[in-house]
């Protein structure tokens, strides 16, 4: 009698352990799916923002009058410089700032694409695996 109870008790313990493993495995799969999906969504949002910044860059923050006043206050020698020269320097500075901003946005775009391309195959793999486990 004790041997029969031990055998059946051992089987039920094995079934419980197997169920526990399945539950833990399922939770793990859902956590991987959730985290990779969040990474893909975040990357997609970042791609949109970087693309919008490249297409429609933000205007330069300082206008010509502010530039002229700040350069003349910083260096009294600039009082004798003509407006045409100051305007040329200002335009060059604005173009450099825009080019720098576009370069940063392109770098951000590439990094954001990485946040889509790297976790997406993992998401697809685990999603297929979950579908296969649900069919069984």
């Amino acid at each position: 009698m004790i041997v029969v109870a031990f055998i059946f008790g051992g089987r039920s313990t094995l079934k419980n352990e197997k169920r526990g493993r399945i539950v833990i495995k399922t939770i793990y799969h859902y956590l991987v799916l959730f985290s990779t999906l969040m990474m893909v969504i975040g990357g997609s949002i970042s791609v949109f923002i970087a693309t919008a910044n490249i297409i429609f860059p933000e205007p330069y923050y300082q206008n010509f009058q502010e530039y002229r006043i700040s350069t003349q206050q910083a260096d009294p020698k600039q009082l004798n410089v003509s407006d045409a020269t100051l305007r040329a320097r200002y335009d060059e500075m604005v173009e450099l700032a825009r080019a720098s901003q576009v370069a940063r946005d392109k770098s951000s775009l590439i990094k954001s694409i990485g946040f889509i391309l790297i976790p997406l195959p993992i998401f697809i793999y685990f999603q297929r695996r979950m579908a296969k486990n649900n069919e069984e």
Side-chain angles (χ1 to χ4, degrees):
M1 191 84 161
I2 294 175
V3 173
V4 172
F6 183 76
I7 291 173
F8 286 118
R11 285 188 180 174
S12 67
T13 304
L14 290 176
K15 287 181 183 178
N16 287 340
E17 285 180 15
K18 192 173 183 180
R19 285 182 191 160
R21 287 184 192 150
I22 291 172
V23 168
I24 290 172
K25 194 175 185 181
T26 302
I27 291 171
Y28 171 74
H29 284 167
Y30 280 120
L31 286 174
V32 170
L33 286 171
F34 177 75
S35 62
T36 55
L37 181 63
M38 289 298 108
M39 291 174 74
V40 169
I41 290 171
S44 299
I45 292 169
S46 296
V47 163
F48 178 78
I49 291 170
T51 304
N53 286 340
I54 290 170
I55 295 171
F56 302 108
E58 296 178 14
Y60 191 68
Y61 69 95
Q62 186 179 36
N63 62 26
F64 176 67
Q65 285 76 21
E66 292 172 349
Y67 173 76
R68 181 177 51 199
I69 291 169
S70 66
T71 54
Q72 289 173 349
Q73 286 177 349
D75 187 10
K77 296 176 187 175
Q78 298 294 326
L79 290 172
N80 299 333
V81 177
S82 69
D83 278 350
T85 305
L86 280 175
R87 174 60 93 173
R89 289 180 191 167
Y90 172 76
D91 291 339
E92 182 181 344
M93 184 181 66
V94 168
E95 286 304 314
L96 287 173
R98 284 185 183 151
S100 176
Q101 181 64 38
V102 168
R104 282 192 299 270
D105 289 332
K106 286 180 181 178
S107 174
S108 174
L109 179 67
I110 291 170
K111 292 172 189 173
S112 300
I113 290 172
F115 264 93
I116 295 171
L117 294 180
I118 294 170
L120 188 61
I122 298 168
F123 176 81
I124 292 170
Y125 171 76
F126 275 91
Q127 186 180 22
R128 289 183 180 168
R129 201 164 168 186
M130 286 296 296
K132 226 185 263 186
N133 288 343
N134 288 339
E135 287 176 2
E136 294 174 357

